[in-house]
Amino acid sequence: MNRELAAVCHCLLIETDSDGLVLVDTGLGTADLQNPDRSLGADWVAYAQPALVPEESALRQVVRLGYAPQDVRHIVLTHLHRDHTGGLPDFPHARVHVHPDEYRAVTDPAAAHHRHSLDRFMPAHRAHNRSYASWPVLAESHESGRIVR
């Protein structure tokens, strides 16, 4: 049977002993789920067919685990695509950590792939003032990847 499945956006919640909760990627946010065509882009929604289930948002899952949104003190973004950054507005107190090359790709018009990257980091996800921190790069891999601490 060739049945299409809805795209899902996985996140990881890490409980630390000294620095609160760390959320790795945010998946789709609650605003994305209320008006996905406006927030995510109608073309992307039609193509990706994401699961648009409010109970599956990172915010709702954090609350279901007994935490408050303010308990998420750090968000680590693997990259700045809409299915990884949609929940940023749901955690306005968290500090966002992103690789310096990813950040530069969306903030510096002279950066390689600027237009391509900016098109995927949705305005609704970057419309708020935010504190960003860069990941330190420890070494570069032989395949142009990065190894980070």
Side-chain angles (χ1 to χ4, degrees):
M1 177 174 5
N2 187 12
R3 199 167 61 168
E4 292 184 29
L5 299 175
V8 295
C9 307
H10 295 281
C11 306
L12 175 67
L13 186 65
I14 302 168
E15 185 178 34
T16 70
D17 290 334
S18 61
D19 212 12
L21 299 176
V22 177
L23 183 61
V24 179
D25 290 330
T26 65
L28 301 179
T30 55
D32 297 331
L33 301 172
Q34 292 171 2
N35 193 337
D37 287 349
R38 179 178 47 84
S39 182
L40 299 167
D43 289 345
W44 184 83
V45 172
Y47 170 76
Q49 299 180 1
L52 300 172
V53 182
E55 293 75 28
E56 294 298 317
S57 70
L59 175 66
R60 293 266 184 95
Q61 292 190 55
V62 165
V63 170
R64 190 168 44 243
L65 289 170
Y67 297 108
Q70 306 86 281
D71 294 334
V72 176
R73 296 188 46 206
H74 300 276
I75 295 173
V76 176
L77 296 173
T78 58
H79 59 285
L80 297 175
H81 288 178
R82 66 194 88 200
D83 55 329
H84 295 256
T85 62
L88 284 175
D90 293 335
F91 302 97
H93 298 71
R95 181 147 197 213
V96 178
H97 303 265
V98 64
H99 192 279
D101 291 344
E102 278 289 310
Y103 186 73
R104 184 170 183 262
V106 299
T107 58
D108 182 355
H113 311 293
H114 173 71
R115 183 81 258 151
H116 172 79
S117 296
L118 193 58
D119 287 345
R120 285 157 178 74
F121 187 30
M122 303 307 290
H125 303 163
R126 59 183 146 91
H128 44 82
N129 292 328
R130 181 62 81 167
S131 172
Y132 287 90
S134 294
W135 300 348
V137 176
L138 299 180
E140 293 198 28
S141 77
H142 66 281
E143 297 175 357
S144 302
R146 302 267 188 213
I147 299 171
V148 296
R149 176 173 41 171

